[in-house]
Amino acid sequence: MTAERLRLYPTAILIGQIIMVIAMIGIPLIASSEDQTLLPDFAAPWTGASFFLDGRLSELYDVNAQWAFQTEAVRNAAPSWFVSPPHVALLYTPLALVSFNTAALIWTAFSILCIVLSVRLLEPFAPTLFREHRVVTILILVSSFPIFELLGAGQQSALTLLLMVGGIRLVLADQQGWAGIVFALGAIKPQLFILVPFMLLAMRMWKALATGALTGIATLAITHVVFGPEVFRAWLEALASPAYAELVQIDQAWKMIGLPAFFVTLAPPIWAPAVASIGTLVTIAVVAFGIWKVFAWAKLGVDQRAIWSLALLATILASPHLVLYDLTLIFVPALFLVEVANTRATRVSLMLLYFLTWITSVIHLAALKLPWPLTWIDASWVTLTIIVLWRELDRHVRGKPSDPKAASSH
């Protein structure tokens, strides 16, 4: 990958990405069709907010009721199941006051703003890279598949990235009180922030823990008052239901990144439910190991940027539900590693990660016609690049780079 190619390829992909996003948003708005595909994932929280406004709390997590509503109000080609925490429906309420198409356009503009702010906040993780190769660095980030996917699907990942990076920046600036509040807002996708409390505990950031806990308690209290305990119970039941396991954890495993999904994609279809059921054990094991490493590195006084990078890599590998659009979280450890441990393994892993994510959907379509084990081409191979990045980060912290030439250049 020469310097010229690092400019040309991402530029070409970004141009194509812009054209595709405009087409994905514009065509459904212009075309008169029974079905449409405008921001299909955005339909889920918009539906939840609409149910809240209509007083249909008992049906908030009823997939059949949601699908019936979306068929009429959204005209989605397939159901988009709202399974986020209850307070997410409350947060989306302003957007449910307008038509779906108008709300989708507003959300797209908001997501773009979140991406711009996030990229700006990422600079301290790779100051030299941004100073000497700013344009190329930004091109690679914004032309990545997770950015395309979150914009095209209408996901919340741009907001969660901003909350994560913003919280880390506040921690690095010793603004603990605000950091705790920002991290607590990440409860819209709790699986992405699962290691944050342990990070704050390991670094003895008591003020951040306190404000985060108070914000979380306030969110729970407001949600309890507004929705009632029955809705919380319905949410948990939806997550534990066989339908969720089949439609999300198994059927969508091909586009998830964590180790639980990786094992599901390798298993024969008949074994997939059993493999998925033990995914919780994998999650617990990776989280436990990640927490142990976090506390060990914090005790040694390791660079906080390295510890946050470790926590995010562990989160990605452990999560039972981290889809390609949530992989924006990799920006933090990726930039940090290129800055401080630009080894051959790091470069190859990042290059593979970049291109594998872009061709994942194409591979999946091809694998649908193949018998097992030929379906292994559809396995979540991106997960292996995350493991290599973790190894390179660990080598850097221990002072044992795998690429002596790269090490000597730093």
mmCIF file with all atom_site columns, all heavy atoms in Angstrom, residues 215-226:
data_model
loop_
_atom_site.group_PDB
_atom_site.id
_atom_site.type_symbol
_atom_site.label_atom_id
_atom_site.label_alt_id
_atom_site.label_comp_id
_atom_site.label_asym_id
_atom_site.label_entity_id
_atom_site.label_seq_id
_atom_site.pdbx_PDB_ins_code
_atom_site.Cartn_x
_atom_site.Cartn_y
_atom_site.Cartn_z
_atom_site.occupancy
_atom_site.B_iso_or_equiv
_atom_site.pdbx_formal_charge
_atom_site.auth_seq_id
_atom_site.auth_comp_id
_atom_site.auth_asym_id
_atom_site.auth_atom_id
_atom_site.pdbx_PDB_model_num
ATOM 1  N N   . THR A 1 215 ? -26.109 9.608  36.908 1.00 0.00 ? 215 THR A N   1
ATOM 2  C CA  . THR A 1 215 ? -26.813 9.772  35.630 1.00 0.00 ? 215 THR A CA  1
ATOM 3  C C   . THR A 1 215 ? -27.556 8.497  35.259 1.00 0.00 ? 215 THR A C   1
ATOM 4  O O   . THR A 1 215 ? -28.697 8.540  34.787 1.00 0.00 ? 215 THR A O   1
ATOM 5  C CB  . THR A 1 215 ? -25.820 10.140 34.512 1.00 0.00 ? 215 THR A CB  1
ATOM 6  O OG1 . THR A 1 215 ? -25.099 11.319 34.873 1.00 0.00 ? 215 THR A OG1 1
ATOM 7  C CG2 . THR A 1 215 ? -26.552 10.387 33.203 1.00 0.00 ? 215 THR A CG2 1
ATOM 8  N N   . GLY A 1 216 ? -26.903 7.356  35.480 1.00 0.00 ? 216 GLY A N   1
ATOM 9  C CA  . GLY A 1 216 ? -27.554 6.079  35.198 1.00 0.00 ? 216 GLY A CA  1
ATOM 10 C C   . GLY A 1 216 ? -28.777 5.853  36.073 1.00 0.00 ? 216 GLY A C   1
ATOM 11 O O   . GLY A 1 216 ? -29.824 5.406  35.594 1.00 0.00 ? 216 GLY A O   1
ATOM 12 N N   . ILE A 1 217 ? -28.650 6.182  37.381 1.00 0.00 ? 217 ILE A N   1
ATOM 13 C CA  . ILE A 1 217 ? -29.781 6.018  38.294 1.00 0.00 ? 217 ILE A CA  1
ATOM 14 C C   . ILE A 1 217 ? -30.930 6.948  37.902 1.00 0.00 ? 217 ILE A C   1
ATOM 15 O O   . ILE A 1 217 ? -32.105 6.558  37.925 1.00 0.00 ? 217 ILE A O   1
ATOM 16 C CB  . ILE A 1 217 ? -29.329 6.293  39.749 1.00 0.00 ? 217 ILE A CB  1
ATOM 17 C CG1 . ILE A 1 217 ? -28.364 5.194  40.210 1.00 0.00 ? 217 ILE A CG1 1
ATOM 18 C CG2 . ILE A 1 217 ? -30.533 6.380  40.676 1.00 0.00 ? 217 ILE A CG2 1
ATOM 19 C CD1 . ILE A 1 217 ? -27.702 5.478  41.546 1.00 0.00 ? 217 ILE A CD1 1
ATOM 20 N N   . ALA A 1 218 ? -30.583 8.175  37.519 1.00 0.00 ? 218 ALA A N   1
ATOM 21 C CA  . ALA A 1 218 ? -31.616 9.125  37.093 1.00 0.00 ? 218 ALA A CA  1
ATOM 22 C C   . ALA A 1 218 ? -32.332 8.622  35.842 1.00 0.00 ? 218 ALA A C   1
ATOM 23 O O   . ALA A 1 218 ? -33.564 8.738  35.722 1.00 0.00 ? 218 ALA A O   1
ATOM 24 C CB  . ALA A 1 218 ? -30.990 10.495 36.830 1.00 0.00 ? 218 ALA A CB  1
ATOM 25 N N   . THR A 1 219 ? -31.555 8.044  34.913 1.00 0.00 ? 219 THR A N   1
ATOM 26 C CA  . THR A 1 219 ? -32.161 7.490  33.689 1.00 0.00 ? 219 THR A CA  1
ATOM 27 C C   . THR A 1 219 ? -33.109 6.354  34.020 1.00 0.00 ? 219 THR A C   1
ATOM 28 O O   . THR A 1 219 ? -34.228 6.279  33.494 1.00 0.00 ? 219 THR A O   1
ATOM 29 C CB  . THR A 1 219 ? -31.055 6.985  32.737 1.00 0.00 ? 219 THR A CB  1
ATOM 30 O OG1 . THR A 1 219 ? -30.188 8.068  32.392 1.00 0.00 ? 219 THR A OG1 1
ATOM 31 C CG2 . THR A 1 219 ? -31.671 6.409  31.465 1.00 0.00 ? 219 THR A CG2 1
ATOM 32 N N   . LEU A 1 220 ? -32.669 5.471  34.925 1.00 0.00 ? 220 LEU A N   1
ATOM 33 C CA  . LEU A 1 220 ? -33.524 4.352  35.335 1.00 0.00 ? 220 LEU A CA  1
ATOM 34 C C   . LEU A 1 220 ? -34.788 4.849  36.031 1.00 0.00 ? 220 LEU A C   1
ATOM 35 O O   . LEU A 1 220 ? -35.891 4.325  35.790 1.00 0.00 ? 220 LEU A O   1
ATOM 36 C CB  . LEU A 1 220 ? -32.750 3.415  36.258 1.00 0.00 ? 220 LEU A CB  1
ATOM 37 C CG  . LEU A 1 220 ? -31.690 2.525  35.615 1.00 0.00 ? 220 LEU A CG  1
ATOM 38 C CD1 . LEU A 1 220 ? -30.904 1.785  36.687 1.00 0.00 ? 220 LEU A CD1 1
ATOM 39 C CD2 . LEU A 1 220 ? -32.336 1.534  34.659 1.00 0.00 ? 220 LEU A CD2 1
ATOM 40 N N   . ALA A 1 221 ? -34.634 5.857  36.889 1.00 0.00 ? 221 ALA A N   1
ATOM 41 C CA  . ALA A 1 221 ? -35.783 6.372  37.630 1.00 0.00 ? 221 ALA A CA  1
ATOM 42 C C   . ALA A 1 221 ? -36.803 7.002  36.679 1.00 0.00 ? 221 ALA A C   1
ATOM 43 O O   . ALA A 1 221 ? -38.008 6.745  36.785 1.00 0.00 ? 221 ALA A O   1
ATOM 44 C CB  . ALA A 1 221 ? -35.325 7.402  38.661 1.00 0.00 ? 221 ALA A CB  1
ATOM 45 N N   . ILE A 1 222 ? -36.306 7.814  35.745 1.00 0.00 ? 222 ILE A N   1
ATOM 46 C CA  . ILE A 1 222 ? -37.205 8.457  34.784 1.00 0.00 ? 222 ILE A CA  1
ATOM 47 C C   . ILE A 1 222 ? -37.903 7.403  33.933 1.00 0.00 ? 222 ILE A C   1
ATOM 48 O O   . ILE A 1 222 ? -39.112 7.465  33.692 1.00 0.00 ? 222 ILE A O   1
ATOM 49 C CB  . ILE A 1 222 ? -36.431 9.448  33.906 1.00 0.00 ? 222 ILE A CB  1
ATOM 50 C CG1 . ILE A 1 222 ? -35.939 10.625 34.751 1.00 0.00 ? 222 ILE A CG1 1
ATOM 51 C CG2 . ILE A 1 222 ? -37.296 9.950  32.755 1.00 0.00 ? 222 ILE A CG2 1
ATOM 52 C CD1 . ILE A 1 222 ? -34.990 11.555 34.016 1.00 0.00 ? 222 ILE A CD1 1
ATOM 53 N N   . THR A 1 223 ? -37.134 6.416  33.489 1.00 0.00 ? 223 THR A N   1
ATOM 54 C CA  . THR A 1 223 ? -37.702 5.354  32.660 1.00 0.00 ? 223 THR A CA  1
ATOM 55 C C   . THR A 1 223 ? -38.750 4.560  33.423 1.00 0.00 ? 223 THR A C   1
ATOM 56 O O   . THR A 1 223 ? -39.803 4.203  32.875 1.00 0.00 ? 223 THR A O   1
ATOM 57 C CB  . THR A 1 223 ? -36.586 4.413  32.161 1.00 0.00 ? 223 THR A CB  1
ATOM 58 O OG1 . THR A 1 223 ? -35.574 5.175  31.512 1.00 0.00 ? 223 THR A OG1 1
ATOM 59 C CG2 . THR A 1 223 ? -37.147 3.396  31.172 1.00 0.00 ? 223 THR A CG2 1
ATOM 60 N N   . HIS A 1 224 ? -38.480 4.292  34.702 1.00 0.00 ? 224 HIS A N   1
ATOM 61 C CA  . HIS A 1 224 ? -39.425 3.542  35.520 1.00 0.00 ? 224 HIS A CA  1
ATOM 62 C C   . HIS A 1 224 ? -40.724 4.315  35.700 1.00 0.00 ? 224 HIS A C   1
ATOM 63 O O   . HIS A 1 224 ? -41.822 3.740  35.611 1.00 0.00 ? 224 HIS A O   1
ATOM 64 C CB  . HIS A 1 224 ? -38.799 3.233  36.876 1.00 0.00 ? 224 HIS A CB  1
ATOM 65 C CG  . HIS A 1 224 ? -39.643 2.350  37.746 1.00 0.00 ? 224 HIS A CG  1
ATOM 66 N ND1 . HIS A 1 224 ? -40.632 2.847  38.573 1.00 0.00 ? 224 HIS A ND1 1
ATOM 67 C CD2 . HIS A 1 224 ? -39.660 0.999  37.904 1.00 0.00 ? 224 HIS A CD2 1
ATOM 68 C CE1 . HIS A 1 224 ? -41.212 1.848  39.213 1.00 0.00 ? 224 HIS A CE1 1
ATOM 69 N NE2 . HIS A 1 224 ? -40.641 0.717  38.830 1.00 0.00 ? 224 HIS A NE2 1
ATOM 70 N N   . VAL A 1 225 ? -40.602 5.612  35.924 1.00 0.00 ? 225 VAL A N   1
ATOM 71 C CA  . VAL A 1 225 ? -41.794 6.440  36.114 1.00 0.00 ? 225 VAL A CA  1
ATOM 72 C C   . VAL A 1 225 ? -42.599 6.534  34.825 1.00 0.00 ? 225 VAL A C   1
ATOM 73 O O   . VAL A 1 225 ? -43.834 6.434  34.834 1.00 0.00 ? 225 VAL A O   1
ATOM 74 C CB  . VAL A 1 225 ? -41.400 7.850  36.596 1.00 0.00 ? 225 VAL A CB  1
ATOM 75 C CG1 . VAL A 1 225 ? -42.609 8.779  36.569 1.00 0.00 ? 225 VAL A CG1 1
ATOM 76 C CG2 . VAL A 1 225 ? -40.809 7.791  37.997 1.00 0.00 ? 225 VAL A CG2 1
ATOM 77 N N   . VAL A 1 226 ? -41.891 6.712  33.705 1.00 0.00 ? 226 VAL A N   1
ATOM 78 C CA  . VAL A 1 226 ? -42.572 6.917  32.430 1.00 0.00 ? 226 VAL A CA  1
ATOM 79 C C   . VAL A 1 226 ? -43.153 5.628  31.875 1.00 0.00 ? 226 VAL A C   1
ATOM 80 O O   . VAL A 1 226 ? -44.282 5.606  31.369 1.00 0.00 ? 226 VAL A O   1
ATOM 81 C CB  . VAL A 1 226 ? -41.602 7.552  31.402 1.00 0.00 ? 226 VAL A CB  1
ATOM 82 C CG1 . VAL A 1 226 ? -42.245 7.618  30.018 1.00 0.00 ? 226 VAL A CG1 1
ATOM 83 C CG2 . VAL A 1 226 ? -41.186 8.944  31.851 1.00 0.00 ? 226 VAL A CG2 1
#
